[in-house]
């Protein structure tokens, strides 16, 4: 790394005075590309292990019912799922390849942000390594997920914002507006980032940007690109507000205010907390970083909103990677002084511990039949990628025991969209009928035929609600996923229901739909 200059802030002696004018970014380095390639290759190797995640099964179903919006998301990922499944049907590797590539892109953007902060080759390499080893990058990069798209959208917007703040050129705001607007076709969360960035500018400046006509034009671009998703939500009764209320009540994974607060210290890695904390401190407090102060406040505002409304704790994670990039720039400068060899060894140990622990906990690195219980306890999503074919086998065993006339008119009713997606994926080759569910947008994909008075129901631990719909409800079996995994399905009851009390149209319109 080069010598410290007065015109650069980060990978420097922080006591240097800051000279007016845009600081120079660090030198270009090819090292982050090697890290990004390694992360993408690792994710591609891991992609076919275990099985589909429940959300991926849902995306495949949503892709068969393309629309400008859904109860819980925009059209982007379902459209991508349909495209990939059309090109390579039933290929888990193909389905997850876009996420692996997006994860590699995220690594490059974390390094690029560090470079804009002034990091030299060492700082950019450290930022890329920490970004690539982080929990949010590996976990979202392993699955086809709206979170993976959000990660790249937020990082791209942050990178453009850093360039805007570094140069003062408000034309970068146009790129921020375009990126966030496109991101609204995935989820509505980019609006939260926009609120955080605007609040950061209002608190820390430069406030002139809030009056800049180019920034207003950027807001117009954002609104125009977001219009399809916003209009769909408006014309369908704003269903994402209902989903948000369910999440706020803690009835969803990774939700709850306490869990959200704790997750801030875990989602990158506990080992990286000192680095991103350093990034936050210098952004908020050090004079040499004053021009970037809005980014530190943006993270504080976004986290505050998430905790206030009870959102999921991983929502602010991309901004944590921005703080990590700032901290990496500082840490690389710190490692060049004093006992440099020991300090570099310490940073290397942080990277290695982060990579190893997150790989074991967040990727399917261990044999599924010997998976320790603590892995699923720490990473709920792992459990939801295991045992779907066996789950469908359990339903098939119940269906095949029915008399022929009942088999002909039977349907399957599931408690969540993943269970319905599993039946859609694995049921036809087992001779199973169609599955229906009221979970999120599954309720809009169709209801059972009017003459379907024999139902195999799964996803209800107790039969109380089912008995309000059917005259006869009996326990017909239990889900056996043939591995000792503690997820929402394994060991759950399978109910055989007969005799509708009311028409399906009445039940579907008032009682079946639920969100979360």
């Amino acid at each position: 790394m080069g010598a410290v200059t007065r015109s650069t802030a980060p990978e420097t002696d922080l006591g240097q005075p800051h000279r007016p004018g845009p600081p120079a970014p660090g030198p270009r380095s090819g090292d982050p590309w090697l890290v990004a390639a390694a992360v993408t290759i690792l994710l591609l190797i891991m992609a076919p292990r275990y099985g589909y995640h429940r959300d991926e099964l849902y995306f495949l179903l949503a892709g068969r019912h393309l629309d400008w919006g859904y109860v819980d998301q925009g059209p982007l990922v379902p459209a991508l799922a349909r495209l990939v499944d059309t090109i390579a049907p039933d290929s888990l590797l193909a389905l997850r390849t876009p996420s692996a590539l997006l994860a590699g892109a995220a690594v490059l953007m974390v390094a690029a942000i560090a470079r804009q902060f002034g990091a030299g080759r060492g700082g950019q390499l450290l930022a890329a390594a920490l970004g690539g080893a982080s929990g949010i990058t590996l976990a979202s990069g392993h699955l086809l997920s709206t979170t993976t798209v959000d990660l790249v959208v937020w990082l791209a917007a942050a990178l453009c914002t850093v360039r805007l703040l570094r140069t003062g050129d408000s034309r970068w705001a146009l790129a921020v507006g375009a990126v966030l607007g496109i991101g609204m076709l995935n989820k509505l969360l980019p609006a939260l980032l926009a609120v955080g960035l605007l609040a950061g500018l209002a608190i820390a400046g430069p406030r002139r940007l809030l009056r800049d006509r180019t920034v207003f034009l950027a807001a117009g671009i954002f609104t125009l690109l977001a219009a399809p998703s916003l209009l769909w939500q408006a014309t369908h009764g704003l269903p994402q507000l209902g989903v948000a209320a369910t999440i706020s009540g803690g009835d969803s994974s990774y939700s709850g205010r306490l869990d959200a607060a704790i997750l801030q210290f875990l989602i990158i890695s506990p080992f990286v907390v000192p680095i991103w904390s350093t990034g936050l401190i210098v952004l908020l407090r050090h004079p040499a970083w004053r021009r970037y102060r809005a980014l530190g406040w943006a993270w504080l505002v976004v986290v505050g909103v998430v905790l206030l409304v009870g959102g999921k704790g991983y929502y602010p994670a991309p901004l944590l990677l921005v703080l990590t990039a700032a901290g990496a720039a500082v840490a690389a400068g710190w490692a060049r002084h004093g006992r440099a060899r020991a300090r570099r060894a310490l940073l290397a140990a942080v990277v290695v511990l982060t990579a190893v622990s997150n790989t074991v906990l967040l990727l399917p690195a261990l044999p599924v039949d010997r998976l320790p219980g603590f892995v699923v306890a720490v990473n709920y999503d792992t459990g939801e990628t295991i045992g779907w074919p066996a789950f469908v086998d359990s339903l098939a065993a119940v269906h095949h025991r029915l008399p022929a006339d009942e088999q002909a008119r039977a349907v399957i009713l599931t408690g969540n969209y993943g269970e319905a997606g599993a039946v859609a994926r694995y049921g036809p080759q087992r001779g199973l009928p169609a599955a229906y569910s009221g979970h999120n947008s599954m309720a809009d994909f169709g209801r059972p035929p009017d003459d379907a008075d024999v139902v195999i129901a799964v996803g209800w631990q107790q039969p109380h609600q089912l008995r309000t719909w059917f005259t006869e409800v009996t326990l017909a079996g239990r889900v056996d996923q043939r591995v000792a995994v503690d997820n929402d399905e394994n060991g759950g009851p399978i109910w055989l229901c007969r005799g509708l009390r009311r028409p399906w149209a009445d039940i579907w319109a008032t009682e079946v739909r639920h969100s979360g």
Side-chain angles (χ1 to χ4, degrees):
M1 292 176 287
V4 173
T5 68
R6 289 165 56 89
S7 61
T8 59
E11 195 172 318
T12 69
D13 178 353
L14 291 179
Q16 293 278 4
H18 182 67
R19 188 168 60 193
R28 294 188 181 276
S29 171
D31 294 339
W33 286 89
L34 298 177
V35 177
V39 169
T40 296
I41 291 170
L42 172 65
L43 291 171
L44 291 174
I45 291 172
M46 293 290 184
R49 291 173 60 84
Y50 295 7
Y52 291 89
H53 186 269
R54 66 157 63 171
D55 288 355
E56 293 172 317
L57 295 167
Y58 176 45
F59 297 143
L60 288 168
L61 280 177
R64 301 177 186 177
H65 301 82
L66 288 178
D67 203 343
W68 279 109
Y70 300 88
V71 168
D72 47 354
Q73 62 188 303
L76 195 56
V77 172
L80 181 60
R82 178 167 178 171
L83 174 64
V84 174
D85 198 50
T86 300
I87 296 171
D90 302 330
S91 170
L92 190 56
L93 174 60
L95 188 69
R96 291 176 172 172
T97 294
S99 292
L101 296 173
L102 288 173
V107 171
L108 294 176
M109 282 188 277
V110 173
I113 291 170
R115 177 176 176 266
Q116 290 299 313
F117 283 146
R121 180 178 177 181
Q124 293 173 51
L125 177 60
L126 179 60
L130 294 174
S134 70
I136 184 63
T137 302
L138 292 180
S140 66
H142 174 56
L143 308 172
L144 179 66
S145 168
T146 55
T147 304
T148 322
V149 177
D150 271 336
L151 174 65
V152 173
V153 167
W154 283 47
L155 286 175
L159 175 59
C160 294
T161 301
V162 171
R163 299 200 69 163
L164 166 63
L165 296 174
R166 184 179 65 80
T167 64
D169 186 348
S170 60
R171 288 176 295 182
W172 282 104
L174 300 177
V176 175
V179 169
L180 294 181
I182 293 171
M184 292 285 282
L185 296 175
N186 175 59
K187 284 266 195 175
L188 300 185
L189 285 176
L192 176 60
L193 176 58
V195 169
L197 292 174
L198 291 173
L201 290 174
I203 295 169
R207 295 185 183 90
R208 65 170 179 79
L209 290 174
L210 299 176
R211 303 184 298 271
D212 193 297
R213 284 182 293 182
T214 307
V215 174
F216 284 105
L217 179 57
I221 293 173
F222 168 82
T223 303
L224 180 65
L225 292 172
S229 284
L230 294 176
L231 287 173
W232 189 95
Q233 287 290 318
T235 56
H236 288 76
L238 301 175
Q240 282 206 30
L241 295 181
V243 175
T246 301
I247 292 171
S248 179
D251 190 19
S252 184
S253 59
Y254 308 112
S255 61
R257 291 175 177 84
L258 179 60
D259 288 347
I262 293 174
L263 195 59
Q264 305 310 304
F265 300 94
L266 302 177
I267 196 163
I268 303 297
S269 168
F271 304 111
V272 184
V273 171
I275 293 178
W276 69 252
S277 297
T278 298
L280 177 62
I281 291 169
V282 297
L283 284 171
L284 293 178
R285 302 291 299 171
H286 201 278
W289 292 71
R290 181 175 181 82
R291 69 176 62 243
Y292 304 117
R293 194 158 293 173
L295 288 166
W297 279 105
W299 179 77
L300 290 173
V301 169
V302 169
V303 170
V305 171
V306 168
L307 295 180
L308 180 65
V309 304
K312 294 193 177 187
Y314 60 76
Y315 291 168
L319 285 180
L320 271 179
L321 287 178
V322 176
L323 302 184
T324 300
V330 175
W334 169 80
R336 294 170 51 243
H337 301 287
R339 300 177 62 184
R341 183 172 299 178
R343 292 183 177 189
R344 289 172 180 167
L346 178 60
L347 292 179
V350 168
V351 172
V352 171
L353 289 171
T354 298
V356 171
S357 60
N358 283 337
T359 297
V360 171
L361 292 173
L362 304 177
L363 296 180
L366 303 176
V368 67
D369 57 347
R370 295 194 295 275
L371 187 66
F374 71 83
V375 172
V376 176
V378 171
N379 180 22
Y380 160 86
D381 284 331
T382 295
E384 291 302 322
T385 63
I386 294 172
W388 289 115
F391 166 83
V392 178
D393 285 339
S394 299
L395 300 179
V398 174
H399 182 257
H400 294 162
R401 289 198 300 267
L402 295 176
D405 63 320
E406 290 192 340
Q407 286 189 32
R409 66 180 192 274
V411 296
I412 295 172
L413 187 65
T414 73
N416 68 58
Y417 53 58
E419 295 162 349
V423 174
R425 168 66 180 84
Y426 299 107
Q429 56 265 48
R430 291 163 172 80
L432 285 179
Y436 302 87
S437 178
H439 191 197
N440 288 5
S441 280
M442 282 296 305
D444 301 319
F445 297 164
R447 65 173 186 261
D450 293 340
D451 62 349
D453 61 347
V454 177
V455 172
I456 299 169
V458 65
W460 283 264
Q461 290 299 318
Q462 300 296 329
H464 310 309
Q465 186 178 41
L466 295 172
R467 285 176 175 151
T468 67
W469 301 336
F470 304 98
T471 58
E472 178 186 339
V473 179
T474 58
L475 182 65
R478 289 193 174 272
V479 174
D480 180 8
Q481 294 184 309
R482 296 195 285 270
V483 290
V485 59
D486 182 18
N487 60 21
D488 288 354
E489 285 71 39
N490 208 13
I494 303 173
W495 307 98
L496 182 58
C497 310
R498 296 183 174 95
L500 277 173
R501 295 183 183 272
R502 286 171 290 142
W504 278 113
D506 292 346
I507 295 172
W508 215 254
T510 60
E511 299 178 34
V512 171
R513 182 187 294 275
H514 62 283
S515 60

